[in-house]
Amino acid sequence: MTAGVLAAGLRRSFLAALLPLALVWFGGLEYRGLFHPDEGRYAEIPREMLASGDWVTPRLNNLKYFEKPPLQYWATALALAAFGEDEWSARLWPAVTGFLGILLLAFAGNRTGPPGSGYVAGLVLASSVGYFVASQYLTLDMGLTFFLCAAMCAMLMALRGLAPLPGRRAWMLLAWTGMACAVLSKGLVGIVLPGAAVLAYVLLQRDWHLLRRLEWKWGGALFALIVLPWHLLAQWRNPEFFHFYIVHEHLERFLLPGHGRPGAWWYFILILLLAMIPWTIVLPGAIRRSLAARVPVPEFDVDRFLLLWVGVILLFFSASSSKLPAYIVPALPALALLVGRDAVRHGGPEAKWPGLFLAFCGAATLAIGLPALTRAKVIDDLVYAYFPWFAAGAGVFVAGGLTAWGLRHALGARSLLGLAFSAIAGVQFILSGLHQVDENYSTERFVEQMLGEHNTFAPDVPFYSVGFFDESLPYYLGRTLTLVSYRGELAPGIVAEPGKYVESLDEFERRWVDTKEAYAAMQPRQYAAFRSQGLPMRVLAIDSRRVIVSRDRPDPPLRTKKAGRLISHLHLPT
């Protein structure tokens, strides 16, 4: 098969995949409650930003929250304003940036060669389990990944030197723009990671002339123009901003333990291998052949740069004292492009081993996951409702992997398409089924039990969160809460505005008794303790993790039968 015929076949397969891919990509955003803490937090901050009209100072539960910069908050607030406050509109930014990242990688891969490699890379990226999950879950990592991917792709276009000089300069300025937006998405890693990758490449290749092609003057000015205004305005309005945002969130989080996110040195290696399923099986060969390839020094070595990009991300986050699985997502586009380039360069894309590996992963999921779920006590009876979704997802892995493997010769490049959709569909089934158990991780059903779909609380009536804080609760209530005897991640905001906090349970009890109308959320044990003291409370909603009570409400919503069983089981007085 000639390179032109192969590229044309890959192009047809990729274009045919876009519409069904978009339907699957965006179709599951609504079908799960927002999980705490991350999804609740990153939906509530934009909701409060929209409600208050303050687009400079991010707030969580009406307390200053400077952990991250505001670009995603702004985008999500606009989505909430345009489409209403819902799960799918809250998750829209990660889904959109994730989908655009696929298109961007396909474009850049085809432009940097070999022909058709971008289409393979796009399908590989879209169907990598870690990338797809990150696009469906509301965190800041997919937005960061997209802008870092944009910076990486623009650097490839600029530094390869194939375009005329004005074109190369334009691509390099686009790279600076991507890095600036990455900084506004998740902080200084947006410039540190690309800068470290470029520096590592220059040192390894001894290509000192490359430094002159980075457009320092105009690129640096453009970067400052995008990044500095919000940072300066935030500092001007909030004197505590610099210490918390720079010192605490960047330096101390990276260097010091104590954030509750430890991990061994090999932590991100394992996460990376899991995130690249079903393409994990082809990574060793692609990396080995990329390392063995030799490019003359004056010419920019794309493969070497991609490997260093991945290596810098892996080493940087492995050295950090704070580790979370999603931190490694920005490495996935570079790996996908490496796989795409290797596949086309060495005889065309092959679904043989990834198909078998996907089938193996599906069988392992069934063999390990189902017995674990049947023994899960925290999920209780809801686990049985989740079984069909879990089994369907694993079954799609097995069936799709075996089909792609068996028809690889008959379908050619289309077997790659089938394999990609099998991976995406399997994960989507597993994710969608979480709706059956999300009351353990989200307050969506809990609030609907009390309010229904459209009722809200008056914002002027006191509403306390006693001894705990669920980040998804303010979003579903549509209002903020007053924290009682709990600080958690909101401690810096409480220090800045102590009047919005109740320090002790004794002070809460005094306020509760002295007011005529108020609400409070708490854990069942805390409710039982208050009622044993004779504190006047009426249960409005209850599940295994939370209780909402009122000080006085004439016509409380009826409790469900399940809520009544919970009260009886927990020996809580009504």
Side-chain angles (χ1 to χ4, degrees):
M1 183 183 297
T2 66
V5 172
L6 176 62
L10 290 170
R11 180 177 181 273
R12 287 192 297 270
S13 295
F14 184 81
L15 293 178
L18 286 182
L19 179 58
L21 177 62
L23 293 175
V24 177
W25 201 268
F26 295 99
L29 298 179
E30 169 73 14
Y31 201 62
R32 286 169 284 124
L34 294 171
F35 279 28
H36 73 83
D38 292 337
E39 291 199 301
R41 178 195 306 124
Y42 296 127
E44 175 60 13
I45 293 173
R47 189 198 69 80
E48 293 184 36
M49 188 172 280
L50 189 63
S52 68
D54 184 354
W55 296 73
V56 174
T57 303
R59 292 179 180 272
L60 175 58
N61 197 42
N62 200 29
L63 293 165
K64 294 179 181 180
Y65 192 82
F66 291 122
E67 286 201 5
K68 299 296 183 291
L71 180 56
Q72 181 162 325
Y73 305 152
W74 295 339
T76 303
L78 292 175
L80 297 179
F83 305 114
E85 296 173 10
D86 215 331
E87 288 85 8
W88 80 271
S89 54
R91 292 186 177 114
L92 190 58
W93 182 248
V96 167
T97 51
F99 194 81
L100 290 177
I102 298 166
L103 303 181
L104 178 63
L105 194 69
F107 171 80
N110 290 327
R111 289 290 296 269
T112 56
S117 59
Y119 300 127
V120 178
L123 289 175
V124 168
L125 183 63
S127 55
S128 296
V129 166
Y131 189 84
F132 180 71
V133 170
S135 75
Q136 305 293 298
Y137 189 72
L138 179 53
T139 66
L140 307 182
D141 299 286
M142 184 50 74
L144 172 69
T145 298
F146 169 72
F147 289 114
L148 287 179
C149 178
M152 179 190 76
C153 290
M155 286 181 184
L156 294 179
M157 303 290 288
L159 299 178
R160 280 202 79 202
L162 297 180
L165 181 60
R168 296 202 303 269
R169 285 177 173 170
W171 283 114
M172 200 63 233
L173 292 178
L174 182 60
W176 282 99
T177 303
M179 290 186 286
C181 291
V183 170
L184 281 180
S185 293
K186 207 177 177 183
L188 296 180
V189 292
I191 186 69
V192 169
L193 295 177
V198 171
L199 179 61
Y201 180 86
V202 169
L203 293 176
L204 184 65
Q205 298 291 99
R206 299 181 181 179
D207 186 1
W208 311 109
H209 295 288
L210 184 142
L211 294 174
R212 301 176 184 175
R213 298 159 59 187
L214 298 181
E215 298 296 329
W216 294 98
K217 179 181 176 181
W218 295 109
L222 180 61
F223 180 89
L225 184 64
I226 295 171
V227 167
L228 286 182
W230 175 78
H231 287 82
L232 294 176
L233 192 55
Q235 176 63 37
W236 180 58
R237 292 191 181 181
N238 307 276
E240 70 276 18
F241 169 77
F242 179 83
H243 180 270
F244 184 76
Y245 178 74
I246 299 295
V247 177
H248 180 268
E249 277 303 303
H250 284 85
L251 301 179
E252 292 181 354
R253 182 180 289 272
F254 183 85
L255 297 172
L256 301 179
H259 292 276
R261 301 169 179 176
W265 65 268
W266 44 263
Y267 177 87
F268 282 116
I269 297 176
L270 176 61
I271 295 298
L272 194 64
L273 295 176
L274 293 174
M276 282 298 293
I277 291 173
W279 311 101
T280 310
I281 194 77
V282 300
L283 281 181
I287 292 173
R288 184 181 66 253
R289 286 185 287 271
S290 297
L291 287 172
R294 289 289 181 268
V295 173
V297 172
E299 185 177 340
F300 185 72
D301 191 333
V302 174
D303 285 354
R304 186 65 55 88
F305 183 77
L306 293 174
L307 286 170
L308 288 171
W309 185 278
V310 174
V312 163
I313 293 173
L314 194 62
L315 290 174
F316 179 86
F317 288 115
S318 295
S320 173
S321 297
S322 179
K323 295 179 174 67
L324 285 176
Y327 289 176
I328 205 65
V329 176
L332 302 185
L335 281 177
L337 188 52
L338 272 173
V339 170
R341 290 168 59 84
D342 180 75
V344 173
R345 195 184 292 135
H346 294 90
E350 174 65 73
K352 179 180 179 181
W353 298 116
L356 286 177
F357 189 66
L358 183 65
F360 168 79
C361 290
T365 299
L366 284 171
I368 297 172
L370 290 181
L373 288 172
T374 58
R375 293 193 295 270
K377 296 181 180 179
V378 67
I379 299 177
D380 200 18
D381 58 326
L382 290 176
V383 69
Y384 298 107
Y386 183 49
F387 269 4
W389 297 89
F390 185 83
V396 169
F397 283 168
V398 174
L402 291 177
T403 301
W405 171 76
L407 298 179
R408 64 191 184 279
H409 297 304
L411 297 179
R414 285 173 291 182
S415 66
L416 199 71
L417 183 63
L419 177 63
F421 267 97
S422 299
I424 294 171
V427 177
Q428 187 64 278
F429 272 114
I430 292 173
L431 287 177
S432 297
L434 291 175
H435 184 62
Q436 305 298 327
V437 298
D438 63 6
E439 78 170 43
N440 294 277
Y441 312 103
S442 173
T443 57
E444 178 194 17
R445 296 188 187 190
F446 179 60
V447 172
E448 287 181 0
Q449 176 193 143
M450 176 179 54
L451 294 179
E453 288 281 354
H454 304 294
N455 295 327
T456 58
F457 283 103
D460 56 337
V461 177
F463 201 129
Y464 301 95
S465 182
V466 185
F468 90 119
F469 179 62
D470 186 315
E471 286 83 351
S472 68
L473 187 55
Y475 183 81
Y476 284 114
L477 289 174
R479 56 156 297 163
T480 58
L481 314 174
T482 300
L483 294 182
V484 177
S485 189
Y486 179 88
R487 292 174 177 260
E489 64 177 340
L490 294 175
I494 292 170
V495 171
E497 300 174 294
K500 297 179 179 180
Y501 177 67
V502 177
E503 182 71 38
S504 67
L505 294 179
D506 291 339
E507 174 61 22
F508 164 73
E509 292 176 24
R510 285 192 293 270
R511 294 191 184 193
W512 187 260
V513 171
D514 291 342
T515 190
K516 290 184 179 180
E517 186 178 7
Y519 304 95
M522 62 195 70
Q523 294 172 324
R525 289 181 180 273
Q526 184 63 70
Y527 167 71
F530 282 144
R531 288 307 302 266
S532 67
Q533 300 169 22
L535 209 63
M537 290 181 170
R538 178 178 294 175
V539 174
L540 301 181
I542 184 171
D543 63 17
S544 60
R545 294 174 178 266
R546 320 158 191 94
V547 182
I548 288 184
V549 298
S550 68
R551 173 66 176 88
D552 182 32
R553 185 167 178 171
D555 298 308
L558 295 175
R559 290 192 300 269
T560 62
K561 291 182 179 179
K562 182 176 180 180
R565 292 198 304 269
L566 281 168
I567 291 177
S568 174
H569 175 71
L570 296 168
H571 305 293
L572 300 178
T574 59

